[in-house]
């Protein structure tokens, strides 16, 4: 019962754990990605946005129907279709300490980028970002 | 059976069960566990993903091994290393004043209580050291193996 048998036990245990871990890496429905897609211009990772905490002013650029089904807690709707009606609430919620994070359904939609561009251009707000992966990615991060 | 032997048996099964529970609570959602690891800002995505997939299973395997008493010296060694790493990560988060879910248990999201988590880890480490010392004593008391004829 020396160091050699101890090393053998450790190796066996580590190998035993490796088998289901490899299976999980291949087939688990909620397996993590090994590589994070690089951020596009003006984009922010959900993890970073979460770290910013209450400083974030969430803006949902999806259509109203999608917003009603579910949205980031505290998010305000602001789509280009209803810009004039919805912008007032966003302006009221905003102050200089806030960081605006806009999202749409996923990486495939452009509306979040369009809304973010318009906020930067028309409101002259500098801290405006687009959530990478959008609502789909954010939902994956939820418990 | 002596009282001390019963107490050590309970300690071994209790600590083993605790690690099995910790592993099982995380194994269902490796994506979320990888996010919790990334929140420590200590490793990159590929390492976090690998850890999220592997560590829960290592906890389960070693916890089971410890609880049933098979390869328990190896299990105590691996779990001790794990708990030291977890404690150092928690201490570094505490030092940097990070407000995060420690990732200790999937349902144990208790931001702001990292000091308490460190204390818990130190208690578990003390239990593991006690078991390691006990294993060593038992190994010394065991009769030597008969030479092969």
């Amino acid at each position: 019962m020396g160091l050699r048998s101890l090393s053998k036990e450790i190796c066996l245990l580590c190998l035993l754990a490796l088998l289901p871990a490899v299976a999980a890496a291949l087939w688990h429905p909620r397996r993590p990605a090994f590589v994070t897609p690089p951020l596009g211009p003006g984009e922010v990772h959900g993890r970073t946005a979460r770290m910013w905490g209450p400083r974030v002013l969430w803006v949902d650029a999806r259509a109203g129907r999608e917003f009603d089904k579910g949205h980031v807690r505290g998010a305000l709707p602001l789509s280009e279709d209803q810009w004039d009606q919805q912008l007032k609430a966003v302006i009221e919620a905003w102050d200089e300490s806030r960081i605006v994070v806009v999202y749409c359904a996923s990486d495939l939609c452009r509306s979040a980028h369009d809304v973010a561009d318009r906020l930067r251009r028309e409101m002259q707000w500098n801290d405006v970002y687009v959530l990478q992966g959008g609502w789909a990615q954010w939902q994956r991060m939820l418990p | 059976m002596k009282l001390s032997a019963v107490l050590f048996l309970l300690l071994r099964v209790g600590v083993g069960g605790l690690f099995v529970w910790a592993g099982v609570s995380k194994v269902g959602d490796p994506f979320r566990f990888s996010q919790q690891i990334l929140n420590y800002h200590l490793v990159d995505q590929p390492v976090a993903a690998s850890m999220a997939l592997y560590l829960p299973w290592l906890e389960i395997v070693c916890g089971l091994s410890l609880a049933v008493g098979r390869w328990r010296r190896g299990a105590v060694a691996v779990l001790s290393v794990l708990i030291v790493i977890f404690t150092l990560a928690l201490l570094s988060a505490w030092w940097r004043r990070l407000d995060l879910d420690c990732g200790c248990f999937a349902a144990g999201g208790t931001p702001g209580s990292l000091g308490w988590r460190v204390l818990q880890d130190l208690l578990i480490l003390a239990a593991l050291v006690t078991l390691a010392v006990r294993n060593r004593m038992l190994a010394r008391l065991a009769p030597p193996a008969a030479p092969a004829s």
Side-chain angles (χ1 to χ4, degrees):
Chain A
M1 282 293 281
L3 206 60
R4 197 167 163 185
S5 68
L6 177 64
S7 310
K8 195 176 159 189
E9 286 182 12
I10 291 171
C11 288
L12 281 167
L13 289 166
C14 291
L15 280 174
L16 267 178
L18 193 61
L19 298 175
V22 169
L26 293 173
W27 297 299
H28 200 295
R30 283 187 61 83
R31 61 190 180 276
F34 282 90
V35 180
T36 312
L39 288 175
E43 287 185 342
V44 64
H45 285 304
R47 187 163 45 88
T48 310
R50 181 177 271 179
M51 261 183 53
W52 288 337
R55 290 174 63 203
V56 174
L57 173 56
W58 290 100
V59 171
D60 191 318
R62 298 173 301 162
R65 194 176 55 253
E66 296 302 312
F67 179 84
D68 292 339
K69 278 186 195 169
H71 52 264
V72 176
R73 189 185 295 172
L76 296 171
L78 180 62
S79 60
E80 290 218 280
D81 297 341
Q82 300 185 57
W83 186 265
D84 293 330
Q85 299 95 305
Q86 294 175 332
L87 182 63
K88 190 172 174 237
V90 176
I91 293 173
E92 281 173 1
W94 183 85
D95 65 57
E96 292 212 347
S97 69
R98 306 297 294 270
I99 304 168
V100 180
V101 178
V102 191
Y103 65 91
C104 51
S106 69
D107 270 334
L108 301 175
C109 58
R110 280 293 310 169
S111 54
H113 282 278
D114 295 339
V115 166
D117 286 343
R118 203 163 162 183
L119 284 174
R120 291 187 199 108
R121 192 175 60 244
E122 292 185 10
M123 307 306 299
Q124 302 286 308
W125 292 348
N126 293 321
D127 278 345
V128 181
Y129 300 93
V130 171
L131 179 69
Q132 189 192 50
W135 173 240
Q137 177 69 10
W138 185 258
Q139 276 188 303
R140 287 192 73 199
M141 291 175 61
L142 294 176
Chain B
M1 201 176 201
K2 284 183 182 174
L3 180 64
S4 64
V6 173
L7 289 176
F8 275 110
L9 177 68
L10 288 176
L11 184 67
R12 185 162 60 77
V13 172
V15 173
L18 186 70
F19 276 99
V20 171
W21 178 41
V24 167
S25 71
K26 286 177 285 205
V27 86
D29 195 349
F31 178 82
R32 185 179 176 220
F33 186 37
S34 74
Q35 296 295 317
Q36 290 170 327
I37 295 170
L38 285 168
N39 286 340
Y40 283 84
H41 298 279
L42 293 171
V43 293
D44 290 335
Q45 176 77 20
V47 179
S50 308
M51 288 171 74
L53 289 161
Y54 185 59
L55 286 183
W57 286 108
L58 192 59
E59 286 179 315
I60 292 171
V61 167
C62 292
L64 274 176
S65 168
L66 185 63
V68 301
R70 179 84 175 151
W71 301 329
R72 61 185 177 205
R73 286 196 325 144
V76 165
V78 173
L79 293 176
S80 299
V81 170
L82 283 185
I83 207 79
V84 167
I85 293 170
F86 295 161
T87 309
L88 289 176
L90 279 174
L91 281 172
S92 89
W94 196 19
W95 180 258
R96 290 175 290 152
R97 297 183 188 280
L98 295 180
D99 184 15
L100 45 78
D101 174 358
C102 78
C104 313
F105 300 95
T110 51
S113 64
L114 292 181
W116 173 238
R117 293 290 182 185
V118 169
L119 187 66
Q120 279 183 319
D121 278 3
L122 291 176
L123 286 173
I124 295 169
L125 183 61
L128 286 167
V129 170
T130 308
L131 288 172
V133 171
R134 168 81 173 176
N135 284 344
R136 201 172 168 82
M137 279 171 56
L138 288 178
R140 279 187 182 167
L141 289 174
S149 57

